[in-house]
Amino acid sequence: MAQFSEVLAEIGDFGRFQIQLLILLSVPNFLTAFYMFAQVFMVLDETHHCSVDWVKNHTWNLSAAEQLSLSVPLDAAGKPEPCLMFRPPPDGASLEDILSHRFNETQACDMGWDYPEDRQPSLMNEFNLVCDLKHLKETSQSVYMAGLLMGAVIFGPLCDRIGRKATILVQLLFFALFGLATAFIPSFELYMVLRFAVATAVAGYTFSNVTLLTEWVGPSWRTQAVVLAQCTFSLGQMALAGLAYGVRDWRLFQIAGTAPVLLLVFYFWALPESARWLLTRGRVEEAKQGLQKAAAVNKRKLSPELLSQLVPEKTGPSGNALDLFRHPQLRKVTLILFSVWFVDSLGYFGLSLQVGDFGLDIYLTQLIFGAVEVPARYSSIFMMQWFGRKWSQLGTLVLGGLMCITIIFIPADLPVVVTVLAVVGKFATAAGFTISYVYSAELFPTVIRRVWGSWASRQGLGASSRHS
């Protein structure tokens, strides 16, 4: 009776077949950067003030500046108040009465808002996410994070039930369906519903693609393969900066960022199923066919005798969440890693979602943030080899935390200093995230590793929602 690991070693740990699989799985990773961070560019702050339509309805021959001065009070800096307007005078009031300030009581805007900068349509100016509705920007990001939490819960078990390939195809369908539908929504409430739906697929793909990749790649190349796949997410962040700079209309931006998923329809035929999963489901012949195809692509000769000895794998007992706390040593590891994932997410998403608040051009900052992640993630491999998992994890968390704390005390008129600190923090937290994936996978027994993955994602993404 042959073990699957023996057959995998026979076909090659990381040959042409595994490289092709890595490329296939990296393309959606590249695209998920849009789903994760695109909203940041759709809700940029924009100068606004209450609409002056009631003045325009009169036949007075007034300039735009005079109309504004009649309708909107000025703040302490001499600029129009963004959320207050003068109460409209009663019908029949003369211009002289209005100019003498007989009707200068203020009230909240009730006729909409004007945006004098005349920017391209955005979520901000199309749905008036200002004043009393300003909180909806943060609410929508929290809804997205809640979708990530739900996706981690749903797609983990589904991946084991229907297979890695089928699960990934469902997630790609969600990317295309909900992503494109978002560009045509008539209300912000529906926008949040679709954001929640697509977030479930983003979270699910994060784990499904790693599972499929690690089940085809041999142990000697497994860590490097996962890190390389994560690096394409960082490249996607760089591409996002360019796309956001070039396409300012938020609906066209949404279409441009999500339509490429439609090109992945060939994954239905090109993406291989996990041979290991097929063995756990008793589908031995299909597993053998997949292994033979992999060996042929890798130009390796697979022994028929070895292949004939393959038998269905026993899945063993399934773990549950209580197992994480049942044994003292496991409970200790669980609580420590909960804290690690929480801090990782708090720092990483805290910096990523505030990319426009550091004082420099938001598009340039986003480009730098994406670029710095590539060496950060890949250097984590060497950190773990030289310093071990524990000290690498500790060092990245401490460095990232120090950068975030230091930024608080830097004056706003030093944007370059703030941005440099933020970039160092982004480097540290991105490397820390990569180390966390490896560290967690190695510390937990196989039977409860998926349970931990789901719980860790919920803990980490729960931390990130505090920035929403």
Side-chain angles (χ1 to χ4, degrees), residues 58-63 66-67 95:
H58 288 273
T59 57
W60 303 321
N61 187 21
L62 300 175
S63 67
E66 290 171 330
Q67 292 176 0
L95 179 59

Side-chain angles (χ1 to χ4, degrees), residues 103-236:
F103 309 105
N104 60 356
E105 293 182 11
T106 59
Q107 66 177 45
C109 303
D110 63 358
M111 300 181 184
W113 285 263
D114 289 334
Y115 299 86
E117 295 180 7
D118 198 26
R119 293 187 191 175
Q120 292 284 334
S122 67
L123 287 174
M124 168 78 79
N125 59 41
E126 185 167 330
F127 297 110
N128 292 321
L129 305 182
V130 295
C131 301
D132 290 343
L133 298 180
K134 187 177 181 179
H135 69 279
L136 289 179
K137 293 190 296 182
E138 289 75 23
T139 300
S140 64
Q141 195 62 51
S142 294
V143 168
Y144 179 82
M145 292 298 173
L148 294 177
L149 301 178
M150 186 59 66
V153 175
I154 294 173
F155 282 107
L158 189 65
C159 191
D160 288 340
R161 181 177 294 273
I162 68 174
R164 293 27 170 158
K165 177 179 178 178
T167 302
I168 288 174
L169 292 176
V170 169
Q171 290 153 0
L172 294 180
L173 178 63
F174 279 20
F175 284 179
L177 184 63
F178 298 125
L180 285 172
T182 301
F184 303 96
I185 50 96
S187 69
F188 195 72
E189 290 74 17
L190 183 55
Y191 169 83
M192 289 192 286
V193 170
L194 293 178
R195 282 279 287 171
F196 178 91
V198 80
T200 62
V202 171
Y205 185 78
T206 300
F207 292 96
S208 301
N209 87 92
V210 171
T211 301
L212 180 58
L213 185 61
T214 55
E215 289 179 344
W216 273 114
V217 175
S220 62
W221 276 91
R222 202 164 283 159
T223 300
Q224 291 93 322
V226 171
V227 172
L228 285 172
Q230 290 183 348
C231 284
T232 57
F233 175 75
S234 306
L235 295 175

